Every structure is written in C-alpha cells, then in structure tokens.
Amino acid sequence: MEGKQAYGSRPLRKREYDEDDVRVRPGKGSRPRTRIRPAHEDAVEGFVVAVDRGRYTTLVELERPKGSAQKRKQQQHRLVVAMKARELGRKGIVVGDRVALVGDVSGRPDSLARVVRVEPRTSMLRRSADDTEDTDGIERPIVANADQLVIVTALADPPPRPRMIDRILVAAFDAEIDTLLCLTKSDLAPPDELIALYEPLGVQHVVVHKGGPLEELREHLTGRISVMVGHSGVGKSTLVNVLVPDANRAVSQVNAVTGRGRHTSTSAVALELPDGGWIIDTPGVRSFGLAHVSVETVLAAFPDLVEGTVTCPKGCTHLGDGCALDAWAAAGNADPTRLESLRRLLSSREGTLDEPPST
C-alpha cells in the first residue's frame, strides 16, 4: 500500500558510507621507492684481476698483525670471486677496478661475494666497437686505473704496423695515460726507423729480444699499473712469462701465410710483479676503434700546435687545405715533424682496420 510499510519492516533511509566500507588493494609499484642505499661500512676492498662471464676475481689484502714488520710488497692476499650486486645496475666492472665487497669474502672454493661499489677511477682505457661490420660506435672499456700503456710491437715476424701504433697512442692520449713503446724481436730487424718515427711525439721506448736482458723494461714497470696492448704474435705473453715467472700465459707462433698471430690471451688479466707494480695483459688486437675520441682531444696532446689553430676556419679537420697550421709551422712556431705526427694521428681516427702486413 502506498505510503505504508510492511509489517515488521524498518523505515527505509539512505545509507551513509565511510572509508571503512571501501576495500582498496594497493597496486604494484605504489610504494614510494627510496634512494637511500646501504652504506656497506663493513665492506672490504678488492682489486679486480680478472673478469669471466659475470664473475669477478678480486684480490683482497689480508690484515697484518699489529706490530708486524712485514714489508708491503710481501703482503699476503687471497682471491675472492664475486658477482655484481643488483643495486649497481648496468655499471660495468673491468680489470683494474677497485671495488667494495660484502658477503662471503673468505675465498673458499664455491664461495661468492658481492661487489656493492666501484671506487672512482683514475683512468679508463677504452676503444670503440667500430671494427666490426655492424658499426655501433659503442665504447668498449678495456682496463681501469692504469697509469701506463705499453704498446708492444715486433720489428719483424710480424712486421710493425705504425698506423695501429698511432691509434693506440690516440686512445692513450684520450685516457691521459703515459705511453711506452716496447719493440720486440730486435734480433730480426733494426729499430732505428721506427724509433725515429715516434721521437717527435716524445714517446719513450725500450728495445728487447728473446732471451735478452729486460732490466730497462722492468725499471719502467716497477711500481706502476701497466697495461700491455699489441697485435697477436708480437711477444706480449712471452714477455709476461719472463717478468712474472708463475704467469703461465699461453704463447703461439705467427702464421707463415698471413703474417699474423693467433689470439692466445683470451681475456685481460692483472698480474703482480715480483718487485712491485702490476702488468695487465690483454688479448691481441687487430683493430682499435676511436669513434669516441674527438679531434680536440688529439690536438690537446700537441700543446705547441694548439695556438696555431686559432685562425683555422670553422670546422677545420686540420688535415686538408686551408688549415692554419701549415703557415704556423712554416713561420718556425712549431716543428714540421710534429705537425706531420699530429696529422698522422688524426688520419688514424678515420679508419678502422690496420694496414695489411708488408710483403
């Protein structure tokens, strides 16, 4: 009946809702993320000596007992294998990096620590990946914290390739690393011509041969972190085996048909020298991409020529006609051989592959 309500029923009224009546389930990612990361104050320091498929072999220095008179070069170490912590993201880790480790740092077999921090680097030697058919221009880090780059080249068998040496020098200038030219197999060919080619650049050099003395080379290496770079077959691994007797680096012969060596060192590895210092042996390379290096970076390695570029036309490559450096050198403001060296290095940036071996 209209206007009446059924027997026993309550008067109808509008219900009032509050927040307790609504059940809300938080969506994924609704929790605000914090940028605060663990400080890892208990982390131990390590030095990366090898990298293999996401596993980092690090050298951890053992604590010396208080009052010990043990010399630093006789300090005891242990090898700790670690993986990269997720919090580091895509940050790369290479041989030579100094890192912070947490977790199982005992070094026991099958143990695994975590790299939670990569300390600031003093240098980074890199090359661009433009030596393949699929040129991507991506930088490939090679070694961190090296303070000397040793360019190992044979004087014969295989013959020297100056253009390759030039490109490695450019990478060293970019990384602000000292350079040393190590000429091997001097018993097969004289070094004078190659030495004269790099004298205007101020590159130091040592000349060695198989079975000969290495005292001069040792003087350059002692107390430094040196990375050795060069073609396969030039004698890098042979030198390392003499300098570090327990290194056991594989060696090979040069191919009689191609004049090139096989890649016997398959990965970079840091080896401690008996008298102090480190050698980082790298796989033999046949090209050295420089897409990441600017013209200005190469020019900065020639302070005696920088002032002469002030009147160069805009966008000058310093290679062709119209470059003011020609008049600068002709006026006696710079050594013409230095200008020739600069242009040789700048030209080396444009190519990717090394010139074929001499016949």
Side-chain angles (χ1 to χ4, degrees), residues 24 29 46 65 71 167 178-179 226 274 300:
V24 178
K71 295 182 179 179
R167 295 172 70 77
D178 295 338
T179 55
S226 304

Short mmCIF file of all heavy atoms in Angstrom, two decimals, residues 24 29 46 65 71 167 178-179 226 274 300:
data_model
loop_
_atom_site.label_atom_id
_atom_site.label_comp_id
_atom_site.label_asym_id
_atom_site.label_seq_id
_atom_site.Cartn_x
_atom_site.Cartn_y
_atom_site.Cartn_z
N VAL A 24 40.43 -1.17 -0.60
CA VAL A 24 41.32 -0.80 -1.70
C VAL A 24 42.61 -1.59 -1.58
O VAL A 24 43.26 -1.55 -0.53
CB VAL A 24 41.61 0.71 -1.69
CG1 VAL A 24 42.57 1.04 -2.84
CG2 VAL A 24 40.32 1.50 -1.81
N GLY A 29 53.87 -1.24 -7.35
CA GLY A 29 54.69 -0.05 -7.53
C GLY A 29 54.14 1.19 -6.85
O GLY A 29 54.65 2.28 -7.05
N GLY A 46 88.75 -4.59 -2.63
CA GLY A 46 89.29 -5.59 -3.54
C GLY A 46 89.78 -4.96 -4.83
O GLY A 46 89.35 -3.87 -5.21
N PRO A 65 99.07 -8.59 11.28
CA PRO A 65 99.02 -8.46 12.74
C PRO A 65 99.67 -7.17 13.19
O PRO A 65 100.63 -6.68 12.57
CB PRO A 65 99.82 -9.69 13.22
CG PRO A 65 99.85 -10.62 12.06
CD PRO A 65 99.81 -9.78 10.83
N LYS A 71 107.01 -6.33 5.03
CA LYS A 71 107.00 -5.30 4.01
C LYS A 71 105.74 -5.39 3.19
O LYS A 71 105.14 -6.45 3.03
CB LYS A 71 108.23 -5.46 3.10
CG LYS A 71 109.54 -5.22 3.81
CD LYS A 71 110.70 -5.35 2.84
CE LYS A 71 112.03 -5.10 3.55
NZ LYS A 71 113.17 -5.23 2.60
N ARG A 167 96.98 4.61 -33.53
CA ARG A 167 95.62 4.56 -32.98
C ARG A 167 95.64 4.25 -31.48
O ARG A 167 94.86 4.80 -30.71
CB ARG A 167 94.80 3.52 -33.75
CG ARG A 167 94.59 3.88 -35.22
CD ARG A 167 93.95 2.75 -36.00
NE ARG A 167 92.56 2.55 -35.60
CZ ARG A 167 91.56 3.34 -35.99
NH1 ARG A 167 91.80 4.39 -36.75
NH2 ARG A 167 90.33 3.11 -35.61
N ASP A 178 100.28 7.55 -19.51
CA ASP A 178 101.63 7.58 -20.06
C ASP A 178 101.83 6.42 -21.04
O ASP A 178 101.20 5.36 -20.89
CB ASP A 178 102.68 7.50 -18.95
CG ASP A 178 102.65 8.72 -18.04
OD1 ASP A 178 102.14 9.77 -18.48
OD2 ASP A 178 103.13 8.61 -16.89
N THR A 179 102.71 6.61 -22.02
CA THR A 179 102.92 5.57 -23.02
C THR A 179 104.38 5.12 -23.04
O THR A 179 105.30 5.89 -22.73
CB THR A 179 102.54 6.08 -24.43
OG1 THR A 179 103.26 7.29 -24.71
CG2 THR A 179 101.05 6.34 -24.52
N SER A 226 100.59 -1.13 -15.36
CA SER A 226 100.84 -1.02 -16.79
C SER A 226 99.95 -1.99 -17.54
O SER A 226 99.86 -3.17 -17.19
CB SER A 226 102.31 -1.32 -17.11
OG SER A 226 103.18 -0.47 -16.38
N PRO A 274 107.07 -9.18 -9.25
CA PRO A 274 107.82 -9.54 -8.04
C PRO A 274 108.38 -8.34 -7.28
O PRO A 274 108.44 -8.35 -6.05
CB PRO A 274 108.94 -10.44 -8.57
CG PRO A 274 108.42 -10.98 -9.86
CD PRO A 274 107.58 -9.89 -10.44
N ALA A 300 94.92 18.28 -28.14
CA ALA A 300 95.39 18.67 -26.80
C ALA A 300 96.71 18.01 -26.43
O ALA A 300 97.43 18.51 -25.57
CB ALA A 300 94.32 18.33 -25.76
#
